[in-house]
Amino acid sequence: MIRANYKDKDRVVTILINSFADNKSVNYIIKQDKKKYQRLMSLMEYSFDVCYLFGDIFLSEDKKACALIVLPEKKKTTLQSIILDVKLAISCMGLGNLKKAMDREAAIKINHTKVPMCYLWFIGVETNEQGKGIGSKL
């Protein structure tokens, strides 16, 4: 396992797009229209940026799998995080899905423990490599 750096963003985003294109939870948030692929890309770019700022991003040694982790104790509201959130709302969800996303986020927070923890946001494996134990190793 290696720690990703910013130059790995395209690789990580590609893995996540391929892994989550048909995921019901992801598609619940993304506006479903002719721009679905671009919206999915926006979500994964946002996820990378948030984890890069407020957590960790790991790649498997062969760069066929990735894990994005948020560290809640590091996550802060900054001008950069607000800009990322606004960009996500506009480019990915559409204003109509914003309330759904906020309600879901609130429901998730209710179930978080009060002790410090890492939040595994995404773990993805290239589709042709799934089932080979790469994600489990990661």
Side-chain angles (χ1 to χ4, degrees):
M1 172 170 54
I2 57 174
R3 182 171 271 120
N5 37 68
Y6 210 79
K7 67 180 178 167
D8 295 310
K9 181 176 180 175
D10 288 343
R11 182 72 195 122
V12 170
V13 168
T14 299
I15 292 169
L16 294 174
I17 289 169
N18 293 339
S19 297
F20 288 92
D22 296 322
N23 182 276
K24 289 180 183 180
S25 180
V26 167
N27 284 303
Y28 176 76
I29 296 301
I30 295 174
K31 186 174 180 181
Q32 300 295 303
D33 62 8
K34 64 183 179 183
K35 295 182 180 178
K36 178 184 170 187
Y37 180 84
Q38 291 91 339
R39 294 179 191 286
L40 179 59
M41 182 182 295
S42 292
L43 173 63
M44 298 314 176
E45 289 173 342
Y46 167 84
S47 302
F48 181 96
D49 290 338
V50 167
C51 291
Y52 195 79
L53 289 170
F54 306 116
D56 274 312
I57 303 166
F58 296 99
L59 283 162
S60 59
E61 296 287 335
D62 59 6
K63 295 190 175 186
K64 293 181 180 181
C66 63
L68 281 68
I69 299 167
V70 177
L71 302 170
E73 68 275 6
K74 284 180 70 176
K75 193 164 186 200
K76 296 176 179 35
T77 301
T78 64
L79 179 58
Q80 190 173 13
S81 71
I82 292 168
I83 291 168
L84 287 171
D85 290 346
V86 170
K87 182 180 171 188
L88 177 73
I90 293 168
S91 68
C92 177
M93 295 181 281
L95 297 178
N97 284 352
L98 188 57
K99 181 166 177 15
K100 282 189 339 185
M102 292 172 68
D103 290 346
R104 186 169 96 169
E105 192 65 27
I108 290 169
K109 282 186 179 183
I110 288 171
N111 292 307
H112 282 185
T113 64
K114 303 300 178 209
V115 297
M117 64 166 194
C118 295
Y119 177 66
L120 178 59
W121 194 353
F122 284 109
I123 186 166
V125 177
E126 281 292 353
T127 51
N128 61 337
E129 299 295 323
Q130 291 176 1
K132 297 179 180 178
I134 297 170
S136 297
K137 261 185 171 177
L138 187 59

